[in-house]
Amino acid sequence: MFFSLTQLSGLALALTVTTTALAQSQPASTPQAPLPATTATVAPQTKALATKLVLVLSERRVYAYQENKVLASFPVAVGKKGWETPTGNFQVIQMTKDPVWENPWNGKKIPASLNGPIGVRWIGFWSDGKNTIGFHGTPKKHEYLLGQAVSHGCVRMRNPDVVALFELVQPGTPVIVTQKK
């Protein structure tokens, strides 16, 4: 592949901006572990936004659709007995990068991290005015729980997967939660 001098200058500028942004986004005092490879099924080089998310509880999987085409699908963990993930038609109501989790029982706040209880992204889709349920990351040591009903209603995902899903949605994106497809 050949690049003109103008193309190479633009490429060098893009690389400089990207590496500068990366350097600024990660404090030198807290090294970050590399994200593990994703198990998601994602269409290559897709920049399209999802027109809806479909969470199939029996499959323990979320699908991101654009119209009738699946853009991506990811394995998840869902709410356990007595704390079931609600079914119905919802929409994305919150999107947070690096969310801080507040323990509902003792009020302790835990900052976002790959090993934190809600990982590095939050996509809320249900609320009763006090509590909110959404998609979020899970610590690597708990990834073995994906595919099970183990949460307090939220939808747990691998951190790389919830980051990918975060890039596919925006506030207002419909979220359909159903028992079966």
Side-chain angles (χ1 to χ4, degrees):
M1 181 176 285
F2 296 97
F3 293 97
S4 71
L5 185 55
T6 305
Q7 289 171 317
L8 287 174
S9 296
L11 182 61
L13 177 61
L15 290 172
T16 302
V17 170
T18 302
T19 56
T20 302
L22 285 172
Q24 291 172 351
S25 69
Q26 298 200 6
S29 61
T30 55
Q32 297 284 324
L35 293 175
T38 183
T39 58
T41 305
V42 180
Q45 299 292 321
T46 184
K47 293 188 183 211
L49 286 177
T51 54
K52 69 181 174 185
L53 299 179
V54 178
L55 172 60
V56 183
L57 298 173
S58 64
E59 291 181 15
R60 309 292 199 263
R61 197 157 195 90
V62 63
Y63 297 86
Y65 284 89
Q66 184 181 54
E67 303 309 331
N68 294 322
K69 179 183 174 189
V70 175
L71 295 175
S73 74
F74 307 95
V76 300
V78 297
K80 61 186 172 182
K81 187 174 176 99
W83 294 88
E84 290 86 359
T85 303
T87 58
N89 296 319
F90 310 100
Q91 64 181 354
V92 173
I93 56 174
Q94 295 176 326
M95 293 183 66
T96 308
K97 289 183 180 181
D98 299 323
V100 174
W101 181 70
E102 183 173 339
N103 185 313
W105 293 279
N106 65 21
K108 182 180 176 185
K109 293 183 179 184
I110 301 175
S113 79
L114 293 175
N115 293 315
I118 61 170
V120 297
R121 296 292 184 276
W122 169 261
I123 306 167
F125 65 86
W126 176 93
S127 179
D128 63 4
K130 180 180 176 190
N131 300 302
T132 305
I133 290 177
F135 300 93
H136 64 78
T138 196
K140 188 164 182 65
K141 67 182 179 181
H142 293 139
E143 287 180 358
Y144 70 93
L145 296 172
L146 295 179
Q148 300 179 48
V150 294
S151 77
H152 289 104
C154 281
V155 183
R156 295 183 183 183
M157 301 177 71
R158 295 176 71 243
N159 277 295
D161 293 350
V162 76
V163 168
L165 185 63
F166 192 92
E167 296 302 318
L168 292 172
V169 300
Q170 59 189 358
T173 300
V175 179
I176 300 161
V177 183
T178 182
Q179 283 295 329
K180 296 184 180 191
K181 203 168 188 180

